[in-house]
Amino acid sequence: MDVTKLSDTTIELSDITAWDKNGQKLLVSKVRARDIVEDITGKVKDILKFEYEHNRVIIPYAMTATREEIKFFQWDGENLEDVYTFSTPEVLSEYDPEFSHKKRIFEYYLEVLVEGRLRDLADNWKTDNPPKSEELTQIGFVNKIYDAAH
């Protein structure tokens, strides 16, 4: 777990960060495969608030990913809106067909799969229609990450 200490405030860093075509942060995320009770949505919100308060940057999207669900959020500088919740096995089985059958998923592996999915949304390296891309197109995320990659 990476943390940064800046001016008496400790903030966890984003596990995966996506950038737009202008080099601005497009998405921050927290990925957890552990069986512990933890408010990862709160941690993502803390990252977003820190960026806004200290850097005057509004990062428009956030994501959390666990073994059970992937959540996408939109951020306007004040409100974190939960816009989509997807089944992690349903989405990631495209990238590892045995994902839902594995008894133990390590955090680094879950992170690699989630990052691969984001790359697929940007480049279509795996499939022409990545899982749940229609929903993410509706909120403008897919077009922005695609533009960043091209």
Side-chain angles (χ1 to χ4, degrees):
M1 170 179 15
D2 293 330
V3 295
T4 300
K5 181 131 175 117
L6 300 170
S7 63
D8 295 332
T9 303
T10 301
I11 296 290
E12 279 195 42
L13 301 176
S14 175
D15 293 325
I16 300 170
T17 302
W19 306 83
D20 68 15
K21 66 181 178 180
N22 299 317
Q24 302 297 314
K25 291 179 183 176
L26 178 64
L27 170 133
V28 295
S29 69
K30 293 310 292 176
V31 178
R32 292 291 187 265
R34 310 174 226 171
D35 284 331
I36 60 173
V37 176
E38 183 179 17
D39 180 13
I40 61 174
T41 301
K43 290 180 181 202
V44 165
K45 191 170 185 177
D46 289 344
I47 294 168
L48 295 167
K49 283 181 177 180
F50 182 86
E51 289 283 351
Y52 181 68
E53 291 168 2
H54 290 81
N55 300 322
R56 306 315 287 162
V57 173
I58 295 176
I59 302 169
Y61 302 99
M63 177 184 63
T64 61
T66 65
R67 290 179 299 175
E68 294 80 29
E69 61 187 20
I70 297 171
K71 289 187 174 195
F72 257 81
F73 303 89
Q74 286 188 287
W75 170 252
D76 63 6
E78 290 184 28
N79 300 305
L80 184 64
E81 180 186 0
D82 182 348
V83 288
Y84 289 111
T85 301
F86 306 119
S87 161
T88 303
E90 181 182 348
V91 171
L92 296 185
S93 64
E94 180 70 38
Y95 307 98
D96 178 353
E98 296 179 11
F99 180 85
S100 62
H101 305 295
K102 292 184 179 179
K103 294 186 190 263
R104 187 152 187 204
I105 301 292
F106 292 97
E107 206 153 290
Y108 68 87
Y109 185 63
L110 180 59
E111 194 171 316
V112 166
L113 290 175
V114 170
E115 186 173 350
R117 176 181 183 246
L118 292 173
R119 289 186 189 280
D120 198 18
L121 289 168
D123 287 331
N124 297 104
W125 69 270
K126 174 77 173 160
T127 175
D128 289 335
N129 189 20
K132 307 300 181 184
S133 61
E134 287 180 30
E135 290 87 341
L136 298 178
T137 298
Q138 291 175 3
I139 61 171
F141 178 76
V142 172
N143 294 335
K144 290 177 183 173
I145 199 167
Y146 176 86
D147 286 347
H150 295 95

